[in-house]
Amino acid sequence: MTPPSIHRVTTLDLKVQPWAWPFAQARRAEIDAHFAEAQRERPKLWNGRVLLGRSAAFEGERLSASYFETDFASFLAWRDWGFPDKGVFNGFGMGALLARDGAFVLGEMGHHTSNPGRVYFPSGTPDLDDIRGDVLDIADSVAREVEEETGLTPADYRPDAHWDCVFTGVAIAMMRILNVDMPGDALRARIESNLAMQEEPELAAIRLVRDSSDFTAAMPRFVTAFIEMHLSR
């Protein structure tokens, strides 16, 4: 993984195009065996369709890239085996929920997920539900993940106009601050109330981080750690 770099952009130009991933084709039998073993450990894992990226380029305030469809088993093997194809990256959105008093809200992943015990901003590898025509809509992907994980809808927050993209070579976290007009403790209580109504919530706990009201200052400490955890088993 290359040293993380941070790029602030206002435009995401992410095209979805058909492409056969040589890694997934060449190592199909190994990938299937690896996923079967992962399912034995965590039966709730589902081999759905996800989107990974290629050919990322930062130009001024624009990030452009090409995305392709693959199965989650191939993504999981690529991640767990140390990213044998460095020409592919996991490019996903993150909703950085920021309370009125400067507290960031993060969630601890449940034991049944593919990253149990890890602590993140709401996020997820994009899938087919995030495609609009031939474009990947990361803003909608973030809104979906935030609602699924916390119960908050776009009516509950105000997104910043820009994205802070953390690039590590094999990953790009496209991060957007979502400003919520309530104190951190109240926001945590609201999310915990929503989780209590779910039979098997994706999040096991909600944490507040009060480090800095300046996201640019806070990001190197928080986000690069999240990226490394997101890309490790």
Side-chain angles (χ1 to χ4, degrees):
M1 197 164 57
T2 61
S5 60
I6 300 172
H7 306 261
R8 177 162 289 186
V9 303
T10 55
T11 301
L12 301 176
D13 181 14
L14 310 175
K15 303 294 187 185
V16 181
Q17 300 171 324
W19 186 65
W21 192 10
F23 163 77
Q25 293 179 318
R27 303 185 67 175
R28 187 73 263 160
E30 297 170 83
I31 289 169
D32 290 343
H34 180 73
F35 190 74
E37 178 62 28
Q39 275 192 317
R40 280 191 285 273
E41 296 176 5
R42 298 185 296 278
K44 296 288 186 179
L45 285 182
W46 177 61
N47 191 22
R49 307 299 290 178
V50 297
L51 299 170
L52 297 179
R54 300 188 299 144
S55 305
F58 291 97
E59 299 173 333
E61 295 188 348
R62 176 186 298 269
L63 165 61
S64 60
S66 173
Y67 275 74
F68 65 95
E69 176 185 344
T70 190
D71 62 320
F72 183 74
S74 295
F75 161 72
L76 191 68
W78 171 78
R79 187 195 74 174
D80 291 350
W81 296 344
F83 322 107
D85 181 356
K86 296 297 192 294
V88 167
F89 68 88
N90 180 18
F92 55 93
M94 278 185 147
L97 291 166
L98 181 60
R100 186 173 62 208
D101 57 0
F104 286 109
V105 179
L106 302 99
E108 178 183 327
M109 300 300 290
H111 70 280
H112 60 286
T113 68
S114 61
N115 292 293
R118 306 274 169 79
V119 179
Y120 302 119
F121 291 125
S123 64
T125 299
D127 61 32
L128 305 189
D129 289 337
D130 303 317
I131 299 174
R132 304 292 177 266
D134 64 347
V135 172
L136 172 58
D137 190 334
I138 288 292
D140 272 10
S141 178
V142 167
R144 175 170 58 83
E145 293 292 343
V146 168
E147 184 168 3
E148 288 177 359
E149 296 182 18
T150 71
L152 299 175
T153 72
D156 297 312
Y157 52 78
R158 177 180 53 81
D160 278 0
H162 63 268
W163 299 81
D164 288 293
C165 301
V166 182
F167 176 62
T168 65
V170 293
I172 301 178
M174 290 162 275
M175 198 166 288
R176 195 178 214 178
I177 290 183
L178 307 178
N179 299 279
V180 184
D181 189 21
M182 65 174 62
D185 289 336
L187 180 55
R188 176 170 56 188
R190 176 173 171 178
I191 296 172
E192 288 174 342
S193 177
N194 178 72
L195 295 177
M197 294 186 294
Q198 300 178 29
E199 183 175 344
E200 192 170 40
E202 191 169 346
L203 301 180
I206 300 299
R207 300 186 185 180
L208 300 182
V209 178
R210 303 177 187 274
D211 185 275
S212 172
S213 60
D214 182 351
F215 187 61
T216 302
M219 186 159 40
R221 175 177 172 182
F222 302 146
V223 179
T224 55
F226 300 155
I227 298 294
E228 290 170 359
M229 289 191 297
H230 191 83
L231 292 173
S232 63
R233 191 171 181 185

